Amino acid sequence: MSEYEANNDLRSAYAGKARFSVERSNTVWKLVCFGDWTITGITEVDRALRAIMAEAYPAINIETSQVSGFDTAGAWLIERFRRHAEKQGREFTHQDGGAKHTELVEVLHPDQNRIQAVEPIEPAVSVGFVESFGRGVVTLWNDLLSGFFLIGSAIRGPQMKAGSRNGIRFMSIIHQMDHMGLRAVPVIAVMSFLIGAIIAQQGAYQLKYYGEELLTVNMVGILHFREIGVLLTAIMVAGRTGSAITAEIGTMKMREEIDALEVIGLNPVGVLIFPRLIALIIVLPILTLLSDLAGMLGAITISNFYIGISPPQFLEALQQNVPPQHMISGLIKAPFMALIIGLAASVEGLKVGGSSEDLGRRTTAAVVRSIFAVIVVDGLFAMFYAAIGY
């Protein structure tokens, strides 16, 4: 028996550390391990083991019965030798008088009899659809609950401070009205003017074959007052203002400004969301009325140049054939749509995580959900008006 050393100069370095001896034969090499095989003393023995692995051994047997200390680092040296022997097609055995060392080595050994690769099962298309639908329903329900919570918190927040000077911040509401309403006037006016002109032109083009060009006034008035004016205005506000609300609240959440408001004893919903909801509920009917007026102006312009209906004739026909209830029916929808846009934007803003990517995703989701909800509400109002004959 001779102690194996990668270099004779390292003999003294093994004193008190991990070491091993090698018994060579033509059929098997036996490594008997001694010392403390832990992370603090295996540097040199690691080099010696690598040198053994580089030789052409017939088979290998490692015995660790006489090892005084043994941890995962020492066990990994044994396991690495096992994997090398299996890769070279040589027999490997590990012996130990106790079960503790053997179990630690076995933990690092991938036992093919215990661990079997499981092929992933692709779900059927129908299962994937049902899962996606279920997740969508749960998300929608949670968003509805969050919306109701925001309504209650927005109303309760200012009431809690009604006796103080900081109850309802009117300046904040006016500031939001300026951003949401006054600055949106140009785009709403231009859009409605063009939509009204296009509807009048298309209507006149179709009706002139029947000699009823004057009915263009009725069609434009009823269609724009009841549906087009409020719907397009709400969609424009959802894209312009809803995205801004989500981005503002989401940025505050990312910077932990909302947590700071709670720390100083303020209700974040009452401070941030309540003014925006009130401002939206106020400005959307006003913008809808402006949209109606701009749409009629566009229809008057096209009717005058395209089918020869003068502005006085147009206004007289509009007054006689389109009663005010059509305009009122559109204005009634506006506050409900404003509330939906504000709640959808606020809910998505409060769900923003800590990344700018999540902020962009939530902003997009807020706009899409707001527009979808606005169209659904418009359809529900249309069925309600038809049921009551309004």
Side-chain angles (χ1 to χ4, degrees):
M1 179 185 300
S2 62
E3 183 168 292
Y4 181 89
E5 301 288 352
N7 191 317
N8 291 331
D9 296 336
L10 298 177
R11 184 183 300 274
S12 60
Y14 284 146
K17 297 183 180 180
R19 59 192 185 279
F20 62 90
S21 63
V22 181
E23 296 179 2
R24 294 183 177 89
S25 67
N26 295 330
T27 57
V28 62
W29 289 12
K30 183 175 181 180
L31 276 66
V32 182
C33 304
F34 307 93
D36 190 10
W37 284 57
T38 61
I39 187 64
T40 59
I42 61 171
T43 303
E44 302 300 339
V45 79
D46 178 30
R47 298 176 184 175
L49 282 176
R50 290 181 184 272
I52 288 285
M53 294 167 62
E55 297 187 21
Y57 55 89
I60 199 75
N61 182 296
I62 298 180
E63 182 180 346
T64 57
S65 302
Q66 303 183 49
V67 171
S68 57
F70 200 67
D71 64 2
T72 307
W76 167 246
L77 296 183
I78 308 299
E79 175 58 27
R80 187 180 64 188
F81 215 129
R82 181 207 301 268
R83 297 186 183 185
H84 180 269
E86 292 178 351
K87 184 177 181 181
Q88 298 296 325
R90 300 166 186 172
E91 184 180 353
F92 177 92
T93 55
H94 174 221
Q95 296 179 350
D96 193 279
K100 183 177 180 180
H101 297 170
T102 306
E103 290 176 356
L104 186 56
V105 175
E106 290 298 325
V107 169
L108 302 177
H109 179 59
D111 191 346
Q112 300 299 328
N113 295 325
R114 292 183 303 165
I115 305 175
Q116 298 181 354
V118 179
E119 297 182 358
I121 301 176
E122 295 293 336
V125 177
S126 59
V127 175
F129 173 77
V130 172
E131 180 184 4
S132 301
F133 181 78
R135 290 181 182 274
V137 171
V138 172
T139 302
L140 178 61
W141 175 251
N142 292 334
D143 289 345
L144 287 175
L145 293 180
S146 300
F148 289 130
F149 169 78
L150 289 181
I151 293 176
S153 299
I155 296 175
R156 180 62 176 168
Q159 285 183 350
M160 292 171 61
K161 300 180 181 181
S164 64
R165 299 175 59 183
N166 297 324
I168 298 177
R169 301 174 183 271
F170 292 100
M171 292 305 300
S172 179
I173 296 175
I174 295 174
H175 174 74
Q176 295 297 331
M177 290 175 60
D178 173 61
H179 279 272
M180 299 176 181
L182 186 59
R183 301 187 184 186
V185 167
V187 64
I188 296 295
V190 172
M191 177 195 69
S192 300
F193 179 89
L194 295 176
I195 293 297
I198 292 172
I199 294 176
Q201 189 272 334
Q202 291 296 318
Y205 179 78
Q206 299 297 328
L207 292 173
K208 71 178 182 179
Y209 292 104
Y210 305 97
E212 298 290 346
E213 293 90 340
L214 192 60
L215 292 179
T216 303
V217 179
N218 300 12
M219 183 190 68
V220 173
I222 295 175
L223 185 61
H224 206 285
F225 286 155
R226 294 184 70 96
E227 300 293 338
I228 299 299
V230 63
L231 185 59
L232 290 182
T233 303
I235 292 175
M236 184 63 67
V237 170
R240 180 185 181 276
T241 304
S243 60
I245 293 176
T246 304
E248 291 170 0
I249 296 178
T251 303
M252 293 179 184
K253 192 170 185 296
M254 291 173 57
R255 296 178 179 176
E256 299 182 354
E257 296 178 14
I258 294 180
D259 297 333
L261 290 175
E262 294 179 351
V263 170
I264 64 177
L266 296 178
N267 180 10
V269 178
V271 174
L272 300 176
I273 298 178
F274 179 79
R276 288 171 169 79
L277 290 179
I278 297 299
L280 265 179
I281 293 174
I282 294 175
V283 301
L284 191 55
I286 297 175
L287 291 176
T288 300
L289 183 60
L290 173 65
S291 174
D292 293 339
L293 297 178
M296 292 303 101
L297 182 61
I300 289 173
T301 304
I302 289 297
S303 299
N304 186 29
F305 289 101
Y306 191 74
I307 55 179
I309 299 178
S310 63
Q313 290 177 324
F314 188 98
L315 294 176
E316 182 180 0
L318 184 67
Q319 183 179 5
Q320 292 178 354
N321 302 321
V322 183
Q325 70 180 29
H326 296 296
M327 179 181 292
I328 296 174
S329 65
L331 295 176
I332 291 175
K333 305 176 185 178
F336 296 94
M337 295 182 177
L339 184 62
I340 290 174
I341 294 171
L343 290 177
S346 301
V347 168
E348 293 298 327
L350 293 175
K351 289 160 63 176
V352 172
S355 64
S356 57
E357 180 183 2
D358 190 48
L359 176 62
R361 184 167 57 251
R362 295 299 179 185
T363 302
T364 302
V367 174
V368 173
R369 293 186 179 187
S370 298
I371 294 176
F372 178 78
V374 161
I375 295 175
V376 171
V377 169
D378 184 75
L380 294 177
F381 266 102
M383 291 187 293
F384 174 71
Y385 287 154
I388 64 175
Y390 185 71

